[in-house]
Amino acid sequence: LAIIQEYVPLEIDAVPSGGQVFDWTIPKEWRIRDAYLLGPDGRKYADFKRSNLSVVNYSEPVDTRIGLTELKGHLHSIPSLPGAIPYVTSYYSRYWGFCLPHRTLEQMPDGEYHAYIDSEFVDGNLNYGHYVLSGETSQEVLLSSYLCHPSLANNELSGPLVLLLLYRRIVGWKRRRFTYRFILCPETIGSITYLAQHGATLKKNVISGLVLTCLGGRGSLLSYKMSRMGTSLIDKTVLHGKRHGMVDVRVRPFTPTGGSDERQYCSPGFNLPVGQMARAVYGEYDGYHNSLDTKDFMDLSTLIDSANQLEGVLQALEYAGYFINLKPYGEVQLGRRNLYPNINSDDTRSLSTDQKMDNRTQLNNILMILNYCDGNHSMIDIAEMCGISVQKIAPFVDLLEHEKLLTLQVQ
Amino acid sequence: LAIIQEYVPLEIDAVPSGGQVFDWTIPKEWRIRDAYLLGPDGRKYADFKRSNLSVVNYSEPVDTRIGLTELKGHLHSIPSLPGAIPYVTSYYSRYWGFCLPHRTLEQMPDGEYHAYIDSEFVDGNLNYGHYVLSGETSQEVLLSSYLCHPSLANNELSGPLVLLLLYRRIVGWKRRRFTYRFILCPETIGSITYLAQHGATLKKNVISGLVLTCLGGRGSLLSYKMSRMGTSLIDKTVLHGKRHGMVDVRVRPFTPTGGSDERQYCSPGFNLPVGQMARAVYGEYDGYHNSLDTKDFMDLSTLIDSANQLEGVLQALEYAGYFINLKPYGEVQLGRRNLYPNINSDDTRSLSTDQKMDNRTQLNNILMILNYCDGNHSMIDIAEMCGISVQKIAPFVDLLEHEKLLTLQVQ
Amino acid sequence: LAIIQEYVPLEIDAVPSGGQVFDWTIPKEWRIRDAYLLGPDGRKYADFKRSNLSVVNYSEPVDTRIGLTELKGHLHSIPSLPGAIPYVTSYYSRYWGFCLPHRTLEQMPDGEYHAYIDSEFVDGNLNYGHYVLSGETSQEVLLSSYLCHPSLANNELSGPLVLLLLYRRIVGWKRRRFTYRFILCPETIGSITYLAQHGATLKKNVISGLVLTCLGGRGSLLSYKMSRMGTSLIDKTVLHGKRHGMVDVRVRPFTPTGGSDERQYCSPGFNLPVGQMARAVYGEYDGYHNSLDTKDFMDLSTLIDSANQLEGVLQALEYAGYFINLKPYGEVQLGRRNLYPNINSDDTRSLSTDQKMDNRTQLNNILMILNYCDGNHSMIDIAEMCGISVQKIAPFVDLLEHEKLLTLQVQ
């Protein structure tokens, strides 16, 4: 969090161990200093100093001599990936264990082993970082990622890095209709904690959001998991963007049975309009939750492409919402605002066919926007009715806002 | 009613002749002692003592000599079923008449006949029986059949008998979420009378119901007529049960143009969520409304099969409704309730593929139930989203209720 | 307006120049006395006295000598229709100009021309005419057309003439469930003015309406443009009428990008249930907005056919709405009202198969109407459920109204 704070002005909050957050209790902090598994042959079969994946996360301390047979109840490997150290945790049931490559496990000789874990559980804190970047309205776009998987790249670092890139892009935009909220917390219990402390504000303000996870991975498309409601602005924007070639994305339905923090944001008591954006999706690649999930697998240029595409989605989202025609009684007098051809004639001498079509199409877009901005049609809906992308309709929205004929509806 | 009272603790109520029930008036009671049609040859061509179908029901008294030509205006037969005596009534227009096999009618010689009907109309009562079997909530399932067709089996006795069987099954269940209301009344005017007296209670409490009619008939499937609203819990449960092979049923749309007492329960002022269950459906078999509708046609083993299948439908209905997640903010901490694998690992050594799938599927079902029990999704909807039957999801509902995480929504 | 007043008792109202009507200002009146374009050869290339299309409507006065090159910036013709004088206006930008056949334009010699327009702008009035023909309820059907295109027939006179014919038909009907409002105003600013003065009443009372435009044109079908809401009674009636062969019509979707005064009635602040009926539709024929749009093109017998068909649509509309069963609790006792076969028998001797079907179908229609007249189903919906046209269901509506079992719902 401190490193990311150098790039995003995160406020870092702490909730002490023992604190109650909805159905959950903040656990004690786990301090780990060293851990190894010394064989009868003097070889270290697992060594925390070499890989912090070598110890089951949240292991209780142990310092014992133990035979191989009994020890095996404390060992974790992946037979199908014999070179990988798995990532294993045991947060809510007291346990100790080691993780090691299956290839190494198969070489372990019989005999007595020294299992040593120098850990302790202390009254500490759950920390999260967040920052609210104000826009023209208090309506919020939530961007959330997590910090909790040690040493993993795609399934850990990719989310915070894209969040950081998006912050720097958005802060540079000429205008922001929406307020942007950036959140970094440990997965699951972190977002539950965040909701316990800020849920009422989120429920009031959030009009769209994205959980960012697994956004690296060479050669893969972006992959969007719909929000639980399935019809929120972010859902409409991604589907529209896909249809109009603005974003290269596959779409997954919402499910509460797996995923990231959208499971919390979309729990039935909140049901926030928050989807999830991924790329090399959790569970779908070999390196998932093991030591093969490296910076090399993640690929920085893919991260940057993810950020580029997501910036485009968010820019489209700025125009996606419900705007209101401020002069809804009869048509607006476009003529005196220079928005209508003042000579009403079918005389085509002075215009080429292309130009004429273009002028007429522009006028039609203006008439469509003014007629359908009634609070029941999103600008995505209107763009679809016009047969164009929301990107192409955006200049007309700007123009009509400038003429004080249109305003964003604050929900 | 008195005979059925030996098996179901019916309360029997009486509404006197002349009583006003909505748009209808309770008619006088019809007492019939004897009726016959004596031919010029001394033969009795119709004889109430041999079949009570022989006289048009609600015939006024007559004792007259009459020629064959004039008499024929008072005779009813079925040319296409020359051996059957039809069932004919004339409740609301004064009339007398005889019913006889067409074969017999064709043998009647010319000459003078003696038409004799010893009937009278007296101030009496309309009687109905009903019983309310309490459950955990005041939400009611209505089960209704009728008693009014003399001497008919499938189109009379089958409904009350299946109602009786269902009562005895339901009273033996370990638990009843719903309250069950059993009704036996004369068709049409009986259910209108019942609604006049109990309609407000029904409108408040009934969440589903079935009119039981024509439930015998060898070799035929059950046949469900949708409720008028078409989306009630009983409609959803029967359609879901059909889809998942829980009940062997064909489905008919609702119509007010024919049928049984669902026409009254589904009249627009009540519009109760009441469907109709039949088997050898009225109007679809030769014996309909005539003397061929015998106990032999009805077939007792078919009645029992009907009761078995309907018990299954009602058991599924107990789980079909709208449940509420009592901890809807963020996910529930399943780990400390032993509902979640506590070691979060993809280590598969200790589990066969089948077992792993099974555990994961069970966890998924729990997560789906908790996420979607928001008052907008019935358990039928959730079961369909899980791709399983409500029977298979029922144990998870019980478990989560036991853990005080779930409760039935009282509407 | 004065001529039409001889046939329809129009009230004629005036709104003075400078008056504000929503986003618009009533312009000054344009008085034109003479206008011509005199060539160097003494020939009049355009002459208001010969055709009032020869001058650009709302031209400012001019009296100047001008060379051909400069003059061409003030000339309008249609190269693809070299014999036609176009209809050109410039209401909101000061300008002068002449309109002439392209063939004539091409013959104009170089040299100095005398451009003369004797016009002036005076404080005057915008006039409109309207009449409200009362019916049994205050619910209104709006019929609107326009008076503003000089010398055009199909795209001007056809609408007011059909409106006049419809007035004379409707005033002769035996009964009118609805109140009918007839409006004649200049297009666009006239209907905006009308809405500024009567919009609140219209919003409260109008349940359906039609803008009448371009209703002549030999050999063409009627063409209906849906109302903006798309589900209003007039939309349902026209679609139903087309399906059942009651009206020979093609259907266009609503759009605010072109059309007539429905653009104002359907502006988002009003969103009235008003469609548009045309035939030889604006923009779809050669004579559109030029001197080819003559009485010969318009064709009187086509106008009369349009009126005949629209009268049928309006008669169907009288039965299309939401009726309410006044005895909705249980079925109505049809027997004592002679609406039900009193002898309940399947005895078919006395009826041919056709007659029996007919009686049964009639009874079914009555049962369907009574069951579904619950305020949620229009009579169009019920007719569709019965598989017949609203014309065929109308006698049953009359019968049940007469029996005080049914009444039109006042919204």
Side-chain angles (χ1 to χ4, degrees), chain A residues 22-24 72 75-77 79 87-93 95 105 188 192 228 254-258 263-264 266-270 288-289, chain B residues 325 327-337 340 342-349 360 363-365 367-368 370-374 377 405:
Chain A
F22 295 126
D23 195 46
W24 300 60
K72 283 196 169 171
L75 299 185
H76 302 269
S77 69
Y87 165 54
V88 180
T89 66
S90 178
Y91 290 129
Y92 299 102
S93 154
Y95 176 73
L105 186 140
T188 303
I192 288 170
R228 182 179 184 269
F254 178 78
T255 171
T257 61
R263 290 160 58 175
Q264 312 312 324
C266 297
S267 58
F270 290 107
Y288 175 64
H289 270 199
Chain B
N325 175 348
K327 305 248 183 209
Y329 300 103
E331 284 182 349
V332 166
Q333 222 280 47
L334 296 173
R336 66 175 154 88
R337 295 180 175 85
Y340 199 86
N342 269 299
I343 298 181
N344 182 16
S345 154
D346 280 319
D347 181 348
T348 58
R349 281 171 310 162
R360 183 70 219 181
L363 174 59
N364 287 352
N365 291 341
L367 289 168
M368 289 292 283
L370 289 172
N371 191 280
Y372 285 108
C373 279
D374 59 358
H377 299 82
L405 295 172

Side-chain angles (χ1 to χ4, degrees), chain C residues 109-128:
Chain C
D110 280 340
E112 194 180 73
Y113 284 75
H114 181 195
Y116 179 75
I117 300 178
D118 178 12
S119 69
E120 65 178 326
F121 299 99
V122 301
D123 283 326
N125 290 295
L126 180 152
N127 294 308
Y128 62 81

Side-chain angles (χ1 to χ4, degrees), chain B residues 163-347:
Chain B
L163 184 136
L164 184 159
L165 288 168
L166 286 174
Y167 167 75
R168 291 166 70 94
R169 307 282 179 90
I170 295 167
V171 88
W173 287 355
K174 274 194 219 123
R175 62 183 291 200
R176 285 186 299 279
R177 295 172 196 281
F178 300 128
T179 290
Y180 288 77
R181 180 181 293 260
F182 301 84
I183 304 171
L184 284 174
C185 56
E187 213 175 9
T188 304
I189 195 169
S191 51
I192 288 171
T193 302
Y194 197 84
L195 284 165
Q197 301 204 330
H198 304 281
T201 304
L202 266 51
K203 200 149 174 56
K204 182 157 150 268
N205 291 339
V206 171
I207 55 100
S208 279
L210 284 175
V211 168
L212 305 176
T213 175
C214 297
L215 283 156
R218 241 175 281 271
S220 50
L221 286 186
L222 283 172
S223 171
Y224 178 67
K225 176 179 170 181
M226 304 281 282
S227 79
R228 182 179 184 270
M229 57 178 69
T231 56
S232 63
L233 277 191
I234 185 69
D235 297 312
K236 287 185 174 221
T237 303
V238 173
L239 293 176
H240 172 86
K242 176 181 168 72
R243 211 153 35 226
H244 290 269
M246 289 157 49
V247 58
D248 208 10
V249 67
R250 64 187 173 98
V251 175
R252 290 166 287 151
F254 177 77
T255 171
T257 61
S260 183
D261 287 323
E262 74 284 356
R263 288 161 58 175
Q264 312 312 324
Y265 298 124
C266 297
S267 59
F270 291 107
N271 196 25
L272 296 177
V274 172
Q276 180 225 76
M277 195 63 86
R279 192 151 188 159
V281 180
Y282 45 84
E284 297 185 2
Y285 59 100
D286 276 354
Y288 174 65
H289 270 199
N290 65 57
S291 59
L292 301 182
D293 186 349
T294 63
K295 277 186 275 190
D296 185 55
F297 172 78
M298 178 174 74
D299 182 28
L300 271 176
S301 68
T302 304
L303 281 198
I304 291 165
D305 177 76
S306 294
N308 290 345
Q309 293 206 59
L310 292 187
E311 184 185 11
V313 168
L314 295 176
Q315 281 170 329
L317 184 68
E318 287 263 316
Y319 287 94
Y322 293 81
F323 290 78
I324 299 292
N325 175 348
L326 294 169
K327 305 248 183 209
Y329 300 103
E331 284 182 349
V332 166
Q333 222 280 47
L334 296 173
R336 66 175 154 88
R337 295 180 175 85
N338 214 22
L339 299 173
Y340 199 86
N342 269 299
I343 298 181
N344 182 16
S345 154
D346 280 319
D347 181 348

Side-chain angles (χ1 to χ4, degrees), chain B residues 97-153:
Chain B
F98 291 92
C99 303
L100 64 174
H102 195 67
R103 187 182 300 139
T104 305
L105 186 141
E106 289 185 314
Q107 294 162 358
M108 290 170 74
D110 280 339
E112 194 179 71
Y113 284 76
H114 181 196
Y116 179 76
I117 299 177
D118 178 12
S119 68
E120 65 176 327
F121 299 98
V122 301
D123 283 327
N125 289 296
L126 180 153
N127 293 307
Y128 63 81
H130 64 141
Y131 180 68
V132 175
L133 176 62
S134 290
E136 295 169 16
T137 68
S138 60
Q139 295 182 72
E140 286 188 13
V141 176
L142 178 154
L143 297 168
S144 179
S145 194
Y146 51 83
L147 281 173
C148 48
H149 303 71
S151 293
L152 302 188

Side-chain angles (χ1 to χ4, degrees), chain C residues 69-87:
Chain C
T69 311
E70 193 186 344
L71 177 61
K72 282 196 169 171
H74 292 267
L75 300 185
H76 302 269
S77 68
I78 308 169
S80 61
L81 296 169
I85 305 171
Y87 166 54

Side-chain angles (χ1 to χ4, degrees), chain C residues 3 32 76 81 95 133 145 213 221 234 244 308 330 336 372 401:
Chain C
I3 295 168
I32 174 83
H76 302 269
L81 296 169
Y95 177 71
L133 177 62
S145 194
T213 176
L221 285 186
I234 184 71
H244 290 270
N308 290 344
R336 67 175 153 89
Y372 285 108
E401 268 186 313

